[in-house]
Every structure is written in structure tokens, then in C-alpha cells.
Amino acid sequence: MYNTLCISDRLILRQFAKEDSAALQALANNRKVGAIIGLPYPYTVEMADEWIKSHPSLLASGTEYPLAIIDRICGQMVGTITLRVDKANRMGEIGYWIGASFWGRGYAPEAVRILMNFAFKNLQLNKIWAAVLCRNHASIRVLEKVGMVLEATMKEHRYHNGKYEDLAYYCLFRRKWQSEFFR
């Protein structure tokens, strides 16, 4: 039995289980995905196992919510999304990725939107933010689609694949979510 955290018409965001390792590995073992988010390639089942094993303590402490993104219709995992919570400052960072074979289907904005709703409504956070490589135009569109705005651009902020890259920081505040996006 899976522990579901969030649900929409099309998606389920739920905790990972040990039996998810093979599906996670199949999605993550992709050069395109790794090049954008920094996953190692090849990505092995053992790596997936180790990552999933780290989840229970994070979830129990309420500091991190690593979740599988599941298509409700076919039951297939399409990606992952994580909320990292800074309790002292009542804010959270969202990170996500979708398997390459599922790109362009609207999974990312839908998953981000429902996790933001959980963060603002259930966790009472004041701010949600996300960092994205400036060259990752698809992810920037996702963040803008869900109402996030550019807060800062950090020049040469990440060393990735042998070169320095700029990072864009996007955010959404609770008051804007309440007035414009809450459903």
C-alpha cells in the first residue's frame, strides 16, 4: 500500500516504496535527463534503492518530501518531485524532473501546482522557491505557468558537466497563491 500525499484529476504524488526502484532507474537512466538535472549516468537500480532508503527519516522529520509522480490512468511513474522544507523560515524548495519519454504532456506543471497547494495549505509555508539552470527553458516555462516569478539570477552559480552555469531562482509567496491561484 502506498502513502499518497497529493492527488489531482490526472496525477498522484505518493511516497516511494522499495518496489519503485526499477521504474525509477528506468526513468533516471537517461543522458538527456541527467544532463539537465545532474543525475549520474548510468543510473543504476542500486542508486535508486539507496535514494529510496533515505526517504523514511526525511518524511518523518518533515524536512523533505521526495515523491513519485504517478499517472492515475495508467498507474505508471512519470517522474519525481521533492519539497525541501526550511521550517525556521516557513519556506520550501521544489525540485522535480519528468522522464524524457513523458516530456511535453503537462505532468510537471500539474505536479508542481498540487505540491505547492499542499505546502501552502497543509504546511502553512510562506514561500515556495525553485532553482533552474538558465538554459532549461522547458522548466522555466513550468515555473512561470504555475505562477512563480523570477527572483534572482546567479551567474556561474553551478559547476555542471565541466562548465559553470547560471541559475535562475523563481518563487511564489503564499499571499499571491491565496489571491490568484488557490482553488
Side-chain angles (χ1 to χ4, degrees), residues 27-39 41 97-101 103 135-136 160-161:
L27 290 175
N29 192 39
N30 182 294
R31 286 187 195 273
K32 291 178 188 176
V33 172
I36 294 172
I37 62 169
L39 288 174
Y41 183 85
W97 60 268
I98 303 295
S101 60
W103 288 353
R135 66 177 168 82
N136 188 348
H160 183 71
N161 290 333

Side-chain angles (χ1 to χ4, degrees), residues 59-85:
L59 289 159
S61 70
T63 58
E64 195 166 317
Y65 297 83
L67 304 169
I69 304 171
I70 308 296
D71 182 306
R72 283 182 71 182
I73 296 166
C74 68
Q76 191 170 13
M77 183 187 307
V78 299
T80 73
I81 189 165
T82 300
L83 174 68
R84 291 173 194 89
V85 178

Side-chain angles (χ1 to χ4, degrees), residues 31-38 132-141 158 160-161 163-168:
R31 286 187 195 273
K32 291 178 188 176
V33 172
I36 294 172
I37 62 169
V132 60
L133 291 172
C134 288
R135 66 177 168 82
N136 188 348
H137 302 290
S139 195
I140 288 170
R141 282 192 303 277
R158 182 171 173 205
H160 183 71
N161 290 333
K163 65 180 181 176
Y164 291 98
E165 296 203 52
D166 298 345
L167 276 183

